[in-house]
Amino acid sequence: MTHRSTELTTFVTEAGWEGARRVNLAGDASNRRYERLNHTNGAKAVLMDAPTHTNTSVQPFVEIARHLTGLGLSAPKILHQDTDRGLLLIEDLGDELFARKIIRSPDLEACLYTSATDVLLTLQSFPPPRKLPKMDTRTLATMTEPAFTWYMGGVGLLSEPAQSRFVESFQTVLEQHLSAPDVLVLRDYHAENLLWLPDRQGVAKVGLLDFQDALVGHRAYDLVSMLQDARRDVSQTVEAEIKAYFVAQSGADPEKFDVSYHLIGAQRNLRILGIFARLCLQEGKTHYVDLIPRVYGLVMRNLAHPILQDVARILHDELPAPTSDILQSLKDKCATHPTP
């Protein structure tokens, strides 16, 4: 038995779950591992294994989870914790991910997304926790750099002058048109991190996962994350409908919010484009390359907004489309890494 497996067994025993059957669950883009624990008394829980040498602290997850549950939202309750060793035992919210539910019942897509939008409206009606970092315009602009360093760099097309020119130009546009960050942003708010909990009431019907990287940001950020999903196609009809619902319910100015939505959309999808390339090149997770064409398409769709015409010129000249040759080149370069 390895040292880590001994720590896991000790932790589970200390939590009162000795003898529970443990089953691996699908992970995410991070180095965290998850197991479902089935207690001899029929109870279930989820074990989060986030070794400190390969992960950031799990303490932010604990703090954000408690903030969310305090607002009446369905984040997992913390059942037991050892933050020094990166171990949490959390409430099991089940397997009814939005992504799976929509495949089985596509007619429910708008209904589910409306419920998830109500969660955002509730979340944004309360002040964010104190001392969280803020996604200001400088941070948002520099967060696009993986598109250059990993996506373009991964295929040998990195242009550092273009990168600098874009980041500077993009920051200027953000400063001119984006309001100051003022709400809690969960960041990975999409169909594979949202669970349907029909036995609960109101906004508690939506289960929340993967929010440990939460920051203070713009009100459009999580809506963009959900409606411009890197992992599944959201129909543009549903996107427009849910976006209009958010604007109406929040009282936002439609034209100003539309600008913010496309600015955040360009920013977020550029970052994801680079992160997916990095996950392949650095960690051998080749399946993320297959998602790149969708993300690139979202980048281009956001860049078509008139407010982005100047920065769009830079990317149209420099950012290569994900042709089959580009995608294969990325996969060839990560072939030496084991794919989990």
Side-chain angles (χ1 to χ4, degrees):
M1 183 176 287
T2 66
H3 175 67
R4 188 59 176 178
S5 61
T6 300
E7 288 185 332
L8 291 172
T9 300
T10 300
F11 176 77
V12 168
T13 300
E14 291 173 349
W17 287 69
E18 184 177 11
R21 184 167 61 91
R22 292 160 55 180
V23 180
N24 286 328
L25 292 174
D28 51 25
S30 73
N31 291 314
R32 294 180 295 272
R33 289 181 56 256
Y34 298 89
E35 294 180 4
R36 170 165 286 138
L37 273 58
N38 295 275
H39 200 285
T40 53
N41 65 9
K44 294 182 179 181
V46 171
L47 173 65
M48 180 192 295
D49 175 17
T52 53
H53 67 282
T54 57
N55 290 273
T56 56
S57 172
V58 295
Q59 186 61 38
F61 182 94
V62 173
E63 294 174 359
I64 298 299
R66 288 175 175 160
H67 175 77
L68 296 173
T69 55
L71 302 180
L73 303 177
S74 290
K77 296 176 182 175
I78 309 300
L79 306 178
H80 194 63
Q81 65 186 80
D82 185 340
T83 54
D84 290 340
R85 291 181 172 82
L87 294 169
L88 295 178
L89 190 67
I90 62 177
E91 179 184 9
D92 186 352
L93 296 178
D95 297 309
E96 194 74 291
L97 292 172
F98 274 31
R100 297 173 185 169
K101 184 74 173 175
I102 292 170
I103 289 174
R104 295 195 304 272
S105 304
D107 56 313
L108 293 179
E109 182 180 37
C111 175
L112 292 173
Y113 280 165
T114 299
S115 295
T117 302
D118 286 336
V119 170
L120 294 180
L121 292 165
T122 297
L123 178 63
Q124 294 177 7
S125 69
F126 293 91
R130 297 180 179 179
K131 299 182 180 179
L132 282 179
K134 293 185 177 182
M135 284 197 290
D136 57 18
T137 55
R138 181 60 184 170
T139 301
L140 285 167
T142 57
M143 285 173 71
T144 65
E145 290 181 347
F148 295 88
T149 55
W150 287 103
Y151 176 64
M152 294 174 61
V155 293
L157 296 174
L158 173 61
S159 168
E160 292 184 359
Q163 176 181 334
S164 298
R165 194 164 67 252
F166 172 80
V167 170
E168 181 179 349
S169 179
F170 191 43
Q171 183 179 349
T172 298
V173 176
L174 292 171
E175 289 173 348
Q176 291 172 343
H177 299 284
L178 203 64
S179 60
D182 62 348
V183 297
L184 181 63
V185 168
L186 303 184
R187 295 188 64 184
D188 289 309
Y189 198 78
H190 55 75
E192 290 189 4
N193 282 334
L194 299 172
L195 291 153
W196 187 236
L197 307 173
D199 294 335
R200 301 190 182 189
Q201 299 299 314
V203 290
K205 285 180 177 288
V206 179
L208 306 174
L209 302 174
D210 200 10
F211 43 73
Q212 61 281 338
D213 295 325
L215 298 170
V216 176
H218 192 276
R219 293 171 184 268
Y221 194 94
D222 282 341
L223 192 71
V224 169
S225 178
M226 180 175 70
L227 297 178
Q228 297 191 9
D229 195 328
R231 294 163 177 81
R232 66 174 301 273
D233 293 322
V234 178
S235 76
Q236 292 192 40
T237 300
V238 168
E239 180 183 7
E241 177 184 334
I242 300 302
K243 180 183 167 190
Y245 175 79
F246 179 91
V247 169
Q249 295 298 313
S250 66
D253 178 279
E255 292 186 7
K256 289 182 179 179
F257 188 82
D258 183 65
V259 170
S260 299
Y261 185 87
H262 287 287
L263 287 172
I264 295 293
Q267 185 274 342
R268 177 173 167 78
N269 286 295
L270 278 168
R271 177 171 174 79
I272 292 174
L273 185 67
I275 295 301
F276 281 177
R278 180 187 66 77
L279 286 168
C280 171
L281 296 168
Q282 192 175 59
E283 301 183 27
K285 299 177 179 180
T286 56
H287 59 286
Y288 283 100
V289 172
D290 297 327
L291 303 177
I292 283 178
R294 177 184 294 111
V295 179
Y296 181 89
L298 291 169
V299 170
M300 292 298 117
R301 182 148 63 87
N302 286 295
L303 288 178
H305 193 284
I307 210 72
L308 283 160
Q309 60 182 353
D310 290 337
V311 295
R313 291 191 189 99
I314 300 172
L315 291 183
H316 286 319
D317 290 341
E318 301 289 343
L319 191 70
T323 62
S324 57
D325 289 343
I326 290 284
L327 299 178
Q328 190 58 52
S329 176
L330 288 171
K331 288 186 175 182
D332 289 344
K333 290 181 180 179
C334 67
T336 57
H337 295 277
T339 301

